[in-house]
Amino acid sequence: MGKANKSKRGGASSSPYERPSKQAAAAANNVFKFSKDFGQHILKNPGIAETIVNKANLKPTDTVLEVGPGTGNLTVKILEQAKKVIAVEMDPRMAAETTKRVQGKPEQKRLDVLLGDVIKTTLPNFDVCISNTPYQISSPLVFKLLSLPNPPRTCVLMFQREFALRLTARPGDSLYCRLSVNAQFWARITHVLKVGRNNFRPPPQVDSSVVRIEPKLGSEKPNISFEEWDGMLRVCFNRRNKTLRASWLGNKEVLAMLERNYRLWCATNDIPVDDTVADEEEDEIDEMEVDENVPPTAGDEDEWGGIMDVDGDDDTPSFFKEMKTNGSEVPKTKSKRKKTRVALLVKEKVRKVLEDVTDLADKRSGKCDENDFLRLLGGFNAEGIHFS
């Protein structure tokens, strides 16, 4: 009678020649656990790594900034073509892995690993940036690079696919948003290639894309304050499918902000303001219906802290429900706060810019191009309305 097979305690192999299980092999090869907090997804496909480096058109004299080198798969490819690599890494374990890749080799002297947050780090001068970007710093990294006193010649960056599509979106596209306008205003952006999720370890939940960002330099660089430009765009893209008239004249928080900014500008330029309370007739004339019931879309910014029902309960009183059912207009409660003449003046200035100066009042932000926004900013500034 043959003996029954008995499993060894602890799952040990019954023979020294037996191949280890897949689980045991994975455990042995997994040196450390990848951190979700740092958005760690290591690019494991050497072909894609080589393509990314080649798209940067590196010169032998280039110093390259690499953000989030991980285990150094991109780093060693960059060192084959560039003079020096400055790698910025948050995770000490990853920094050690990258350093090990060149330890004892000639490339070791050409690699500097900086431990810390690249957004908060004062960066030395560099010519090119290459990055498999941690998803949570995508937007901050783009604008840090574009706002540097001496921006890099080119940046080849990998992002989550939707973020990359936002960067390259054009007016009228579903993903066209404030990020699209801002990034394309300060740089030329092109889509390089799509990268499937299975090219990473561990695989992310979405695909990625590589984009090339070439900052506008010299005479091409816009001579405009970023804070002014971005401040105006925040208002425009609060609801990108609203008309500009509704975005600017139908939002009390926006008008209050513009009034504060106008008062500050007047104080800085020694211009007196009329703080007297407006007459009731003037206040009545000022009341105008500009609100639009436009649902949120992918390109909206939600900068003004709107409240959205998420529990499904409808607390609207039955009286108002009946009026809506019957097609009657629900009366709006008039504000008891008296408006000053300077508040009415600011509102009139906004109306003038939108309707008379630019003729953009009925246009929607999602359809506006760079020239439209430039005309809008020029019109506001000419009226003493600023955003920084």
Side-chain angles (χ1 to χ4, degrees), residues 189-348:
I189 304 177
T190 52
H191 184 272
V192 176
L193 76 153
K194 180 181 176 181
V195 182
R197 66 195 77 181
N198 291 329
N199 291 289
F200 299 88
R201 190 181 82 240
Q205 294 182 347
V206 295
D207 292 334
S208 299
S209 280
V210 178
V211 298
R212 184 193 290 112
I213 300 176
E214 298 171 286
K216 295 177 182 177
L217 306 174
S219 59
E220 287 188 330
K221 187 174 182 178
N223 188 23
I224 290 177
S225 162
F226 173 78
E227 288 75 18
E228 279 279 301
W229 177 255
D230 185 58
M232 183 193 72
L233 292 179
R234 285 175 183 269
V235 178
C236 293
F237 282 96
N238 181 37
R239 283 288 183 270
R240 75 187 193 101
N241 284 331
K242 276 189 174 185
T243 63
L244 290 174
R245 177 187 285 108
S247 294
W248 291 90
L249 294 173
N251 191 314
K252 292 180 181 178
E253 288 85 357
V254 169
L255 290 172
M257 179 269 291
L258 296 180
E259 182 185 342
R260 290 193 300 271
N261 290 0
Y262 180 71
R263 286 175 179 273
L264 179 60
W265 180 80
C266 289
T268 305
N269 292 275
D270 296 324
I271 299 175
V273 296
D274 189 351
D275 247 337
T276 58
V277 176
D279 298 334
E280 287 189 11
E281 293 181 1
E282 292 176 293
D283 207 353
E284 288 286 346
I285 293 173
D286 176 63
E287 292 297 325
M288 52 191 299
E289 289 292 330
V290 292
D291 194 22
E292 294 179 4
N293 187 19
V294 177
T297 60
D300 292 341
E301 294 298 325
D302 287 328
E303 293 295 338
W304 302 104
I307 299 173
M308 180 176 66
D309 282 332
V310 293
D311 57 5
D313 295 333
D314 188 357
D315 295 329
T316 307
S318 57
F319 169 74
F320 290 107
K321 288 181 181 177
E322 290 173 8
M323 292 193 70
K324 284 186 176 181
T325 303
N326 297 332
S328 303
E329 188 175 332
V330 178
K332 293 187 178 181
T333 305
K334 187 177 176 181
S335 174
K336 294 182 180 180
R337 179 176 173 269
K338 293 290 183 180
K339 293 179 181 175
T340 60
R341 285 192 168 87
V342 67
L344 299 184
L345 174 64
V346 169
K347 193 166 186 177
E348 171 57 23

